[in-house]
């Protein structure tokens, strides 16, 4: 049957705490986690959307936001690793799509450090809620069953 949704997912230097289940940007289900350090400080949030539909190519399976003052410490990478392991072990997800604005160097760096491969620049489709707000995104794929993917944990 269905695996129980984990409300808290522990990493080495931080943990993720489930904040809400929601529809996300598209009509696909998603889970939002706050990223906590073990001293109780919240440094950002991360979300997981299990959709694998090509019509949502411009919407990633994971998305992260680290608060400005907390950037540069590797929190996005570690939080992503924790969430990707969960996605693989509990949800059976094998490929993770990460999307970002073309000028987001930090996000590109995180995707590449997670073993992501650049796939394409995708224009936002008319049926997306993002349509009209941004023109397009870079699409990366992380293959969790590849050697690179397995090295994450």
């Amino acid at each position: 049957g269905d695996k129980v949704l984990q409300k808290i997912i522990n990493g080495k230097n931080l943990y993720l705490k489930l904040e809400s289940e929601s529809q996300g940007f598209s009509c696909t289900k998603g889970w939002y986690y706050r990223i906590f350090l073990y001293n109780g400080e919240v440094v950002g949030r991360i979300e997981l959307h299990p959709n694998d539909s090509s019509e949502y190519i411009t919407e990633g399976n994971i998305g992260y936001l680290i608060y400005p003052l907390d950037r540069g410490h590797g929190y996005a990478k570690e939080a992503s690793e924790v969430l990707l392991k969960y996605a693989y072990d509990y949800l059976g997800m094998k490929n993770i799509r990460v999307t970002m604005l073309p000028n987001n160097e930090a996000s590109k760096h995180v995707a590449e450090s997670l073993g992501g491969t650049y796939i394409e620049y995708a224009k936002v489709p008319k049926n997306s809620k993002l349509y009209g707000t941004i023109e397009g995104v870079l699409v990366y794929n992380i293959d969790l069953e590849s050697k690179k993917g397995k090295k994450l944990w």
Side-chain angles (χ1 to χ4, degrees), residues 1-152:
D2 272 4
K3 295 262 172 92
V4 178
L5 185 68
Q6 255 179 266
K7 297 232 176 355
I8 291 188
I9 310 173
N10 291 302
K12 198 174 69 168
N13 301 301
L14 50 79
Y15 65 93
L16 312 182
K17 188 175 180 188
L18 187 67
E19 190 176 290
S20 62
E21 278 188 65
S22 86
Q23 299 300 321
F25 288 128
S26 58
C27 59
T28 57
K29 196 170 171 180
W31 297 285
Y32 289 80
Y33 292 86
R34 277 187 188 271
I35 304 168
F36 282 86
L37 301 183
Y38 285 107
N39 67 6
E41 188 192 346
V42 181
V43 294
R45 59 189 177 83
I46 190 165
E47 60 193 80
L48 177 69
H49 299 276
N51 59 306
D52 55 4
S53 159
S54 58
E55 70 185 287
Y56 297 118
I57 188 68
T58 53
E59 288 158 32
N61 295 122
I62 64 167
Y64 35 77
L65 169 78
I66 303 298
Y67 301 137
L69 293 174
D70 296 304
R71 290 176 187 163
H73 300 287
Y75 298 146
K77 181 176 191 279
E78 188 181 346
S80 297
E81 286 172 354
V82 170
L83 198 56
L84 292 180
K85 184 177 188 334
Y86 175 73
Y88 184 76
D89 290 346
Y90 286 82
L91 303 172
M93 292 177 71
K94 293 176 174 59
N95 281 288
I96 300 287
R97 192 168 59 248
V98 187
T99 61
M100 67 214 61
L101 292 173
N103 61 355
N104 191 338
E105 293 304 323
S107 197
K108 272 186 230 178
H109 176 72
V110 172
E112 286 162 8
S113 72
L114 293 167
T117 307
Y118 174 71
I119 306 294
E120 64 176 326
Y121 172 79
K123 288 202 160 184
V124 174
K126 285 199 168 78
N127 64 347
S128 167
K129 285 187 185 167
L130 295 176
Y131 186 76
T133 59
I134 59 173
E135 195 174 296
V137 293
L138 303 182
V139 180
Y140 281 76
N141 183 65
I142 302 169
D143 176 356
L144 296 182
E145 296 207 304
S146 70
K147 272 208 178 81
K148 267 185 187 167
K150 284 227 168 75
K151 261 202 294 219
L152 291 176

